[in-house]
Amino acid sequence: MKEHLIFVGKHAVRMLLLLFCVSAVAFTLVSISPIDPLQANVGQAALGSMSQEQIAKLQAYWGVGEPPVERFFAWAGDFFRGDMGVSLLYRQPVAKVIGVKLHNSLWLMAIAWTLSGLAGFLLGVLAGLREGSILDKIIKGYSLLIASTPAFWLALVLLMIFAVWLKVLPIGLSVPIGVEAAGVTILDRIRHAILPAVTLSITGIANITLHTREKMIEIMESDYVLFARARGESTWNIVKNHALRNVLLPAVTLQFASISEIFGGSVLIEQVFSYPGLGQAAVTAGLGSDVPLLLGITVISAAFVFGGNLIANLLYGVIDPRIRRGGARA
Amino acid sequence: MRRWNGRMTAVVLFAAAVIFLAAVTAAGFGFSEEALVTDFSRKNLEPGGAYLFGTDWLGRDMFVRTLTGLSMSIRIGLLSAGVSSVLAMLLGTMAAVMGKTVDSVITWVIDLIMGIPHILLLILISYACGKGFKGVVIGVALTHWTSLARLIRGEVLQLKEALYIRMAQKLGMSRWKIVWKHMLPHLFPQFLVGLILTFPHAILHEASITFLGFGLPPEQPAIGIILSESMQYLAMGRWWLALFPGLLLVLTVILFDVAGESLQKLLDPGSAHK
């Protein structure tokens, strides 16, 4: 038990250090940018007609001309105390903006992550079990096709089919237009989330299917499966008793590592569906030079990715007893 | 005649993919002027005989625009994937050869880059470079080397234990001479396949980042620009503005994948009997 705690602790410390580096890298990147936030948000014409004091005031607001190192430590210090600063575009605390957007995105991503994980795993096992069959060829072809398709184009095509032609699903946003917040039902929200969630799931399936399939083929050719066959075990029993556990390990790792992919996909898909989530906020922040918000989103999303990796590392031990013993010592 | 086999299929696939991609790239150069021509007498035409992919609201020929955009994408893909693979090769070998400190630093950097979602990192880098062409190329090049570097590092670590490498060490060859004379030739096939398999990702990410508005400038007929402009006209039923450019992009990406996988098959001695 104690060894287990040390194992967890070591990974957690490493994760925190990595997060700190992520924030430093992100901060460096935004501070070396040649983009002038005043030009991007106020515009050349408006700037020309302003007095010097007004421009100075705006410069102070957007943080132009302060030394970056001092700014970083001020920002990081506040961040550790839980104050992420104030979003310059939304004029609200970053924590609050991220909270609202994350709430919208999170269940979208959670649905897509679960669906694509389960479906991908199932398809991969099926295809691997019957390597070379028509079913395998269809599943493999589908996965390769989806892996080569940009998420945002798939979103556009689905939008065209279901929202423009068939008119069965709404064309965008997370709630109906022109309805008060109190009047929005859960059903409305679900209707608006269907297309984004389905698109995100479809794109997430490909990777895990292909990997599970490869692993499954490898396992079905192994000696212990051959021996099980010789003992007269049925295919179902072989899958249940021998294959699943072995194929689950890489699948779980991959699925937790795919959080970063799902996140990237959601940025694109939210843009297409005008879905007011974290991804859309990141794009808005980037285009509008809202540095505090962009930094906040980067750190939060990196925390999710590292958290996913940490969980994957811990789950290894649960699924595979060999790693449990070895991992604690390592 | 010899019996038709898997290797011959691989050769044909590889050649077909390369020819198609070269043709698209060349066509883009030829059409670069024509892609910007606007003609209001032919605006919003549906796909048909004269205009294979239809025309847009400014009367620009979508077929020509798509080809020019794809050609641009392929060139950006080649450039950034090339830089990215060389980086991967260099850092992967360095991590494996130069001892523990360098190894842990490089592994740390890889973890760091993999920790930030790709798209977000691309947005950040493109923002740091002031958007535009430079931002895309640097962004894609800096984000795509990690997995290949890991692969190369693992391979070199294994190679280090090989008998012929140990022998060269005992004979007093310097570390870098061993890397240059004995390891690189061994790693080259993997590098080549990794390079080609990086293209599809590079192209997709270039299109994505341009689509979001952080990539190429809007006056350029890039695939990302074409698709993001088409969004405004979707609700009016102009489906062809989004469908065909996207389809051609998917085809390009698949062909790069096909080329990479056939090359892998051809270079891998393990599949020689297939």
Side-chain angles (χ1 to χ4, degrees):
Chain A
M1 193 58 215
K2 199 179 154 218
E3 280 172 339
H4 205 70
L5 278 180
I6 293 174
F7 178 71
V8 174
K10 254 166 102 174
H11 277 273
V13 168
R14 187 180 157 78
M15 182 180 138
L16 283 180
L17 276 174
L18 272 170
L19 262 184
F20 181 77
C21 288
V22 165
S23 66
V25 167
F27 199 92
T28 317
L29 284 174
V30 291
S31 51
I32 60 171
S33 169
I35 295 173
D36 181 359
L38 260 62
Q39 294 275 5
N41 284 298
V42 186
Q44 182 65 45
L47 277 180
S49 64
M50 277 182 196
S51 67
Q52 275 307 318
E53 294 107 74
Q54 274 174 314
I55 292 181
K57 223 172 168 182
L58 279 173
Q59 277 181 336
Y61 181 71
W62 293 95
V64 178
E66 284 175 51
V69 177
E70 277 168 41
R71 236 169 47 202
F72 173 65
F73 281 106
W75 173 80
D78 284 346
F79 197 97
F80 274 107
R81 281 194 293 274
D83 174 15
M84 299 186 189
V86 177
S87 161
L88 304 173
L89 286 173
Y90 293 89
R91 293 179 190 271
Q92 277 174 341
V94 168
K96 201 174 154 201
V97 177
I98 290 184
V100 173
K101 304 284 176 186
L102 192 61
H103 179 76
N104 279 336
S105 284
L106 207 57
W107 72 306
L108 198 70
M109 287 195 265
I111 293 171
W113 189 75
T114 323
L115 267 184
S116 64
L118 290 178
F121 184 70
L122 200 69
L123 287 178
V125 168
L126 277 179
L129 205 55
R130 302 248 177 281
E131 196 205 350
S133 69
I134 295 189
L135 183 71
D136 175 38
K137 286 202 174 106
I138 292 173
I139 292 177
K140 196 180 162 204
Y142 163 82
S143 306
L144 288 176
L145 185 66
I146 289 298
S148 316
T149 308
F152 61 93
W153 183 67
L154 190 71
L156 279 175
V157 171
L158 290 179
L159 193 69
M160 267 192 294
I161 297 175
F162 290 102
V164 180
W165 279 350
L166 301 176
K167 295 194 172 59
V168 285
L169 290 168
I171 197 155
L173 305 177
S174 66
V175 289
I177 301 170
V179 177
E180 274 179 62
V184 176
T185 59
I186 187 85
L187 210 66
D188 282 331
R189 285 188 160 271
I190 291 176
R191 260 171 58 82
H192 280 81
I194 289 178
L195 269 185
V198 166
T199 319
L200 210 51
S201 312
I202 291 178
T203 50
I205 285 178
N207 214 352
I208 184 147
T209 306
L210 287 175
H211 276 84
T212 309
R213 176 181 170 274
E214 292 278 308
K215 192 76 193 166
M216 194 70 193
I217 291 172
E218 202 179 288
I219 287 171
M220 291 314 282
E221 284 169 356
S222 69
D223 288 344
Y224 58 84
V225 168
L226 189 68
F227 182 53
R229 269 198 208 290
R231 282 199 309 268
E233 283 191 46
S234 67
T235 308
W236 164 242
N237 266 333
I238 290 176
V239 170
K240 188 177 62 146
N241 297 336
H242 305 290
L244 274 189
R245 247 183 196 235
N246 280 308
V247 89
L248 206 56
L249 186 66
V252 164
T253 328
L254 201 69
Q255 194 55 12
F256 275 97
S258 79
I259 288 180
S260 147
E261 298 281 315
I262 288 259
F263 199 93
S266 83
V267 172
L268 292 162
I269 286 166
E270 283 174 10
Q271 192 69 10
V272 174
F273 292 107
S274 316
Y275 193 88
L278 204 59
Q280 212 201 14
V283 174
T284 316
L287 289 175
S289 301
D290 188 346
V291 172
L293 184 57
L294 193 57
L295 287 175
I297 292 174
T298 308
V299 174
I300 292 288
S301 59
F304 269 95
V305 174
F306 290 136
N309 289 345
L310 184 66
I311 294 173
N313 277 334
L314 297 181
L315 278 182
Y316 277 173
V318 179
I319 298 167
D320 191 337
R322 283 169 306 184
I323 296 181
R324 189 156 56 220
R325 277 176 231 124
R329 250 179 279 124
Chain B
M1 201 185 131
R2 273 163 60 202
R3 263 188 60 215
W4 193 258
N5 59 30
R7 289 181 76 80
M8 287 150 114
T9 317
V11 171
V12 171
L13 279 177
F14 182 71
V18 168
I19 290 172
F20 176 85
L21 294 170
V24 169
T25 315
F29 276 111
F31 286 139
S32 59
E33 294 288 309
E34 220 175 305
L36 300 172
V37 173
T38 57
D39 180 354
F40 286 102
S41 66
R42 59 172 199 195
K43 65 178 178 183
N44 297 328
L45 291 180
E46 291 206 17
Y51 304 105
L52 217 50
F53 288 3
T55 57
D56 65 4
W57 62 101
L58 289 173
R60 293 177 293 193
D61 186 345
M62 288 311 287
F63 180 66
V64 170
R65 276 176 76 72
T66 306
L67 277 187
T68 318
L70 266 184
S71 159
M72 188 76 195
S73 288
I74 291 175
R75 274 176 282 150
I76 290 183
L78 283 173
L79 184 62
S80 48
V83 173
S84 188
S85 327
V86 171
L87 210 61
M89 188 80 180
L90 214 64
L91 290 174
T93 321
M94 272 166 65
V97 175
M98 285 176 70
K100 235 178 160 183
T101 327
V102 177
D103 187 21
S104 51
V105 168
I106 291 178
T107 328
W108 178 265
V109 173
I110 292 179
D111 282 348
L112 193 67
I113 290 186
M114 286 189 151
I116 310 176
H118 258 80
I119 294 279
L120 215 50
L121 189 57
L122 277 169
I123 289 179
L124 282 171
I125 294 177
S126 151
Y127 184 81
C129 299
K131 297 169 190 167
F133 180 83
K134 202 174 74 180
V136 177
V137 174
I138 295 180
V140 176
L142 284 185
T143 47
H144 283 71
W145 56 273
T146 46
S147 46
L148 184 62
R150 265 193 187 164
L151 205 81
I152 300 253
R153 173 177 169 273
E155 192 74 14
V156 174
L157 281 180
Q158 236 175 19
L159 259 185
K160 264 168 78 179
E161 299 305 312
L163 216 53
Y164 71 98
I165 300 288
R166 296 233 298 259
M167 214 127 89
Q169 272 168 352
K170 284 276 185 307
L171 287 174
M173 268 176 111
S174 75
R175 199 156 57 177
W176 292 109
K177 202 163 176 203
I178 294 179
V179 170
W180 184 250
K181 290 215 82 156
H182 296 305
M183 287 185 176
L184 282 189
H186 185 93
L187 291 172
F188 189 70
Q190 234 169 12
F191 167 75
L192 206 59
V193 171
L195 173 71
I196 295 185
L197 290 179
T198 313
F199 288 149
H201 289 273
I203 289 180
L204 282 182
H205 274 122
E206 180 269 317
S208 307
I209 199 80
T210 306
F211 177 79
L212 290 177
F214 292 92
L216 301 173
E219 63 272 12
Q220 200 114 42
I223 287 287
I225 300 285
I226 292 175
L227 289 177
S228 97
E229 282 177 348
S230 80
M231 276 212 303
Q232 296 157 11
Y233 296 87
L234 268 192
M236 294 177 218
R238 313 237 174 94
W239 48 274
W240 60 88
L241 293 182
L243 186 67
F244 293 121
L247 268 182
L248 220 57
L249 176 63
V250 173
L251 185 69
T252 306
V253 172
I254 289 181
L255 280 178
F256 264 121
D257 255 332
V258 167
E261 305 229 322
S262 345
L263 192 65
Q264 197 163 25
K265 246 187 232 163
L266 291 175
L267 292 176
D268 177 14
S271 70
H273 61 284
K274 281 184 184 160

